[in-house]
């Protein structure tokens, strides 16, 4: 099997072309000087990135409030999700790896569940539960609880419901490799609990913490299924893209996609670097 | 255990309990209850099986459900067939830098948003898209060709979206295959096909199961790809859930659909694990 046949090699080549064709097409047509994101090629332009709407009827991505607010909304969700995923993920990892208590296997099992639940179902169940909760609490407290109504706050909770599983797994895997005698040595040398945590344990976990944060950031930024069920009037980027794709968009959508690809590429290479230093 | 330690443990477990309780368990209890409530008058609900009966009596609903299940199985099978030669090449033939590069190139498109990938396929396949344009330019077609909004386009998009989740577990499983076992197979007179069938594929089984389960789950629960590539012909079950919840505001009906989708997805995962005797944890870690 070590001498691959020509047919096999040709298949591999065709496969990679198939894999990249859609992305290349999206990227190339971001620079097409045409009001529609389709052939023929009408010349090179940066109008769909920085245009003011003077040349084509619609402005470029970086000057269009629709795209800019969507990107802003995505960040408003992704940053808290990533931070909470790292903090809660670390605590969960400690519970899984260090604590002893009855029912631990069950808890560990339950932490995996969110990965087997379809995103749409996670979305509707959280929507329904929080609206019941909000109805009850509003009657009782006599005040509005907008945080529990569809909107960015609920999107953060919805995305956390499954991203926490991922961050917990990443951090727990790192904590498992930790040599506890290092901590004991520090205690023996008279270090306080807080100091050991700050100078020994957390530095060891750092690559996993950064990695989990980046993965959470990416997953949040790209999530569509769960987000779709929980958005209110402020749409994050994937929701805006979806709307534009249904209506038929200008090449501005290609431009925004290319920017997403570049940003994602940058985050992914950061992640690759941190996981390399971890190995 | 001293009370201080007990308190620490309790405080450390609080986030996990809040997470699983408030975001997973109680919401699912809520839609389970919701799915069994029928509207008898405005704002008055009572217990009943009406939402599930509606599913079985309205052909559109159960047909969409069956269609989603069957197409997802088809998509999983096609993904497996397409991914296997790639994973085999990455795991057993490619060496050193080429190997790392091939795997990285596989990963790249999947770091990019699902919406961007779908946009790419729309631009390739639609009537005014690149393929139709090239067909006309080369004289192979005289009219614009619409390749979008059919089952083929939906399957293509879903297979594309699932490939990575198949290749990685497959390559991981094939990686651990001892080359001397394969050689022994040839030495004993086995043909390429026999070695593949009797040695390579059985060894890759954990990867095949893990990949298939993940691809099936992602496909069944997908929303954007069938809706955007299939248009009105997409008819995916998640779309029905969305319609009941968001468009028609009939939450009990939508909750019943959600429970059915969850049931379908869990049943397939369970059956897959059962057939091959693997645990959920090990399977998910494969991916």
């Amino acid at each position: 099997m070590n001498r691959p046949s020509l047919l096999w090699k040709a298949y591999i080549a065709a496969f990679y072309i198939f894999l990249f064709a859609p992305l290349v097409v999206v990227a190339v047509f971001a620079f097409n000087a045409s009001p529609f994101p389709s052939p023929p090629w009408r010349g090179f332009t940066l109008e769909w990135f920085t245009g003011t709407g003077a040349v084509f009827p619609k402005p470029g991505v970086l000057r269009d409030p629709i795209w800019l607010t969507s990107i802003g909304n995505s960040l408003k969700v992704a940053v808290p999700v990533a931070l909470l995923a790292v903090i809660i993920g670390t605590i969960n990892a400690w519970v899984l790896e260090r604590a002893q208590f009855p029912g631990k296997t069950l808890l560990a099992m339950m932490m995996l569940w969110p990965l087997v639940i379809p995103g749409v179902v996670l979305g509707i169940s959280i929507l329904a539960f929080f609206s019941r909760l909000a109805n009850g609490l509003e009657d009782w407290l006599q005040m509005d609880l907008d945080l529990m109504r569809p909107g960015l706050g609920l999107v953060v909770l919805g995305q956390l419901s499954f991203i926490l599983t991922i961050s917990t797994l990443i951090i727990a895997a790192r904590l498992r490799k930790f040599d506890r005698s290092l901590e004991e040595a520090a205690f023996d040398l008279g270090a306080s609990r807080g100091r050991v945590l700050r100078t020994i344990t957390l530095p060891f976990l750092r690559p996993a913490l950064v990695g989990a944060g980046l993965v959470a950031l990416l997953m949040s930024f790209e999530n569509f299924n769960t987000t779709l069920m929980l958005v209110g009037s402020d749409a994050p980027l994937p929701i805006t893209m979806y709307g534009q794709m249904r209506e038929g968009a200008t090449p501005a959508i290609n431009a925004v996609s290319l920017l997403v690809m570049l940003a994602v590429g940058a985050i992914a290479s950061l992640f690759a670097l941190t996981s390399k230093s971890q190995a | 255990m001293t009370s201080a330690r007990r308190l620490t443990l309790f405080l450390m477990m609080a986030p996990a309990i809040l997470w699983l309780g408030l975001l997973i368990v109680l919401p699912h209890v809520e839609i389970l209850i919701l799915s069994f409530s029928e509207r008898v008058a405005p704002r008055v609900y009572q217990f009943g099986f009406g939402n599930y009966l509606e599913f079985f009596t309205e052909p559109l609903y159960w047909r969409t459900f069956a269609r989603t299940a069957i197409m997802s199985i088809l998509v999983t099978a096609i993904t497996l067939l397409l991914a296997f030669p790639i994973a085999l090449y990455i795991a057993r033939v490619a060496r050193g830098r080429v190997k790392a590069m091939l795997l990285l190139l596989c990963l790249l498109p999947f770091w990019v948003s699902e919406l961007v990938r779908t946009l790419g396929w729309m631009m390739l396949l639609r009537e005014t898209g690149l393929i139709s344009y090239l067909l006309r330019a080369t004289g192979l077609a005289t009219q614009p060709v619409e390749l979008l909004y059919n089952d083929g386009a939906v399957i293509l998009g879903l297979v594309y979206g699932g490939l990575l989740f198949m290749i990685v577990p497959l390559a991981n499983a094939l990686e651990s295959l001892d080359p001397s076992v394969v050689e022994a197979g040839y030495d004993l007179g086995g043909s390429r096909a026999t070695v593949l069938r009797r040695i390579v594929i059985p060894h890759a089984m954990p990867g095949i199961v893990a990949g298939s389960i993940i691809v099936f789950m992602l496909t069944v629960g997908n929303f954007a790809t069938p809706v955007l590539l299939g248009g009105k012909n997409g008819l995916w079950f998640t779309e029905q859930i969305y319609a009941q919840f968001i468009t028609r505001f009939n939450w009990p009906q939508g909750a019943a659909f959600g429970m059915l989708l969850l049931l379908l997805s869990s049943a397939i995962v369970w059956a897959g694990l059962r057939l091959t005797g693997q645990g959920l944890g090990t399977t998910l870690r494969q991916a």
Side-chain angles (χ1 to χ4, degrees):
Chain A
M1 255 196 325
N2 282 324
R3 278 166 287 104
S5 65
L6 198 64
L7 185 71
W8 197 2
K9 280 185 167 167
Y11 175 72
I12 305 280
F15 178 81
Y16 280 93
I17 293 172
F18 168 73
L19 215 51
F20 280 89
L23 300 185
V24 171
V25 170
V26 168
V28 168
F29 279 89
F31 301 102
N32 190 11
S34 150
F36 308 106
S38 52
W41 184 256
R42 294 188 196 276
F44 179 88
T45 181
L46 286 177
E47 206 57 29
W48 294 115
F49 291 88
T50 55
T52 52
V55 183
F56 297 112
K58 286 264 182 82
V61 171
L62 299 172
R63 291 187 189 242
D64 192 337
I66 297 173
W67 291 116
L68 290 177
T69 42
S70 304
I71 294 172
N73 286 336
S74 276
L75 289 176
K76 274 186 214 161
V77 172
V79 172
V81 165
L83 287 177
L84 287 170
V86 171
I87 295 168
I88 301 178
T90 311
I91 299 174
N92 287 344
W94 184 88
V95 169
L96 287 183
E97 295 300 322
R98 294 293 184 83
Q100 295 300 331
F101 55 92
K104 190 173 149 183
T105 345
L106 179 71
L107 190 72
M109 259 286 285
M110 281 179 69
M111 285 190 184
L112 291 176
W113 276 0
L115 294 187
V116 233
I117 303 169
V120 172
V121 176
L122 276 177
I124 58 165
S125 62
I126 290 172
L127 173 65
F129 174 65
F130 276 87
S131 85
R132 179 183 295 250
L133 207 60
N135 288 343
L137 287 176
E138 277 174 1
D139 283 350
W140 186 50
L141 298 170
Q142 294 297 319
M143 58 184 274
D144 285 342
L145 293 165
D146 287 338
L147 207 69
M148 294 185 183
R149 301 292 180 189
L152 296 183
L154 214 50
V155 171
V156 169
L157 289 180
Q159 294 187 348
L160 269 179
S161 71
F162 65 94
I163 291 177
L164 276 176
T165 302
I166 313 275
S167 67
T168 301
L169 288 179
I170 294 176
I171 299 169
R174 177 81 179 164
L175 189 58
R176 200 170 306 136
K177 290 190 204 143
F178 182 69
D179 181 0
R180 292 193 70 173
S181 56
L182 290 175
E183 274 180 354
E184 275 155 28
F187 280 126
D188 288 347
L189 292 169
S192 67
R193 194 170 262 278
R195 182 137 185 225
V196 170
L197 190 68
R198 207 174 61 243
T199 56
I200 313 270
T201 319
L202 286 182
F204 175 82
L205 285 179
R206 224 183 88 162
L209 300 182
V210 175
L214 291 176
V215 168
L217 203 67
L218 269 183
M219 290 187 78
S220 163
F221 205 78
E222 302 191 338
N223 181 262
F224 178 74
N225 289 357
T226 307
T227 307
L228 181 69
M229 300 296 164
L230 299 171
V231 282
S233 47
D234 306 314
L237 190 60
I239 306 295
T240 309
M241 285 185 69
Y242 173 73
Q244 299 259 330
M245 281 159 78
R246 292 201 80 170
E247 289 162 15
T250 65
I253 197 171
N254 294 55
V256 86
S257 301
L258 183 59
L259 294 178
V260 168
M261 282 189 235
L262 293 175
V264 165
I267 295 180
S269 14
L270 264 181
F271 176 64
L273 285 177
T274 56
S275 58
K276 202 164 269 172
S277 63
Q278 192 177 341
Chain B
M1 219 189 280
T2 63
S3 62
R5 289 196 68 145
R6 199 169 287 194
L7 184 68
T8 317
L9 179 63
F10 177 75
L11 285 178
M12 295 296 269
M13 277 173 69
I17 289 169
L18 284 176
W19 157 39
L20 295 170
L22 289 179
L23 297 179
I24 306 293
V25 176
L26 288 177
H28 283 84
V29 172
E30 167 69 26
I31 58 165
L32 183 67
I33 295 170
L34 204 57
S35 73
F36 283 110
S37 65
E38 282 176 50
R39 209 171 79 138
V40 283
R43 297 203 63 148
V44 182
Y45 292 89
Q46 69 175 36
F47 178 86
F49 296 93
N51 300 313
Y52 291 94
L53 282 176
E54 177 73 11
F55 169 79
F56 288 105
T57 47
E58 170 62 55
L60 174 71
Y61 296 153
W62 64 261
R63 278 191 193 149
T64 308
F65 185 79
R67 176 188 147 88
T68 305
I70 292 166
M71 274 181 65
S72 297
I73 292 171
L74 190 65
V75 164
T76 309
I78 296 174
T79 311
L80 178 60
L81 284 179
L82 287 181
F84 198 84
I86 308 292
L88 197 59
Y89 192 92
I90 291 176
R92 317 244 20 114
V93 180
R95 291 272 169 269
R97 293 185 64 167
V98 180
K99 181 186 197 131
M101 237 235 328
L102 285 178
L103 202 58
L104 187 71
L105 283 178
C106 266
L107 293 174
L108 273 178
F110 296 92
W111 284 104
V112 175
S113 152
E114 181 189 3
L115 273 300
V116 175
R117 286 180 262 142
T118 310
L119 176 69
W121 283 113
M122 287 175 82
M123 293 190 58
L124 282 166
L125 298 176
R126 69 175 155 221
E127 217 175 346
T128 56
L130 195 65
I131 293 177
S132 164
Y133 178 78
L134 290 176
L135 284 176
R136 269 179 301 154
T138 52
L140 287 171
T142 47
Q143 298 281 317
V145 190
E146 179 67 279
L147 297 167
L148 209 55
Y149 309 128
N150 58 53
D151 287 357
V154 174
I155 291 177
L156 176 75
L158 290 169
V159 166
Y160 183 83
L163 278 170
L164 169 80
F165 300 94
M166 193 64 98
I167 290 177
V168 171
L170 277 182
N172 279 343
L174 287 167
E175 197 76 48
S176 62
L177 178 59
D178 187 348
S180 59
V181 178
V182 177
E183 263 166 48
Y186 284 122
D187 289 348
L188 291 169
S191 66
R192 231 163 220 265
T194 317
V195 170
L196 193 68
R197 205 183 66 238
R198 305 272 302 266
I199 299 175
V200 180
I201 292 180
H203 186 87
M205 217 47 190
I208 293 176
V209 173
S212 301
I213 285 178
I214 293 163
V215 170
F216 181 85
M217 278 183 341
L218 290 176
T219 307
V220 143
N222 202 313
F223 183 94
T225 305
V227 171
L228 289 169
L229 297 182
K232 281 196 168 52
N233 304 319
L235 288 177
W236 213 249
F237 199 63
T238 47
E239 210 185 339
Q240 297 290 342
I241 298 178
Y242 180 82
Q244 295 296 344
F245 252 85
I246 311 291
T247 323
R248 296 199 195 168
F249 218 69
N250 186 352
W251 284 17
Q253 188 65 61
F257 288 175
M259 290 313 294
L260 288 164
L261 184 73
L262 187 61
L263 218 60
L264 171 67
S265 165
S266 316
I268 295 281
V269 172
W270 182 81
L273 294 175
R274 217 48 208 297
L275 275 174
T276 52
Q278 292 192 46
L280 179 65
T282 48
T283 303
L284 289 176
R285 238 157 255 145
Q286 283 267 332

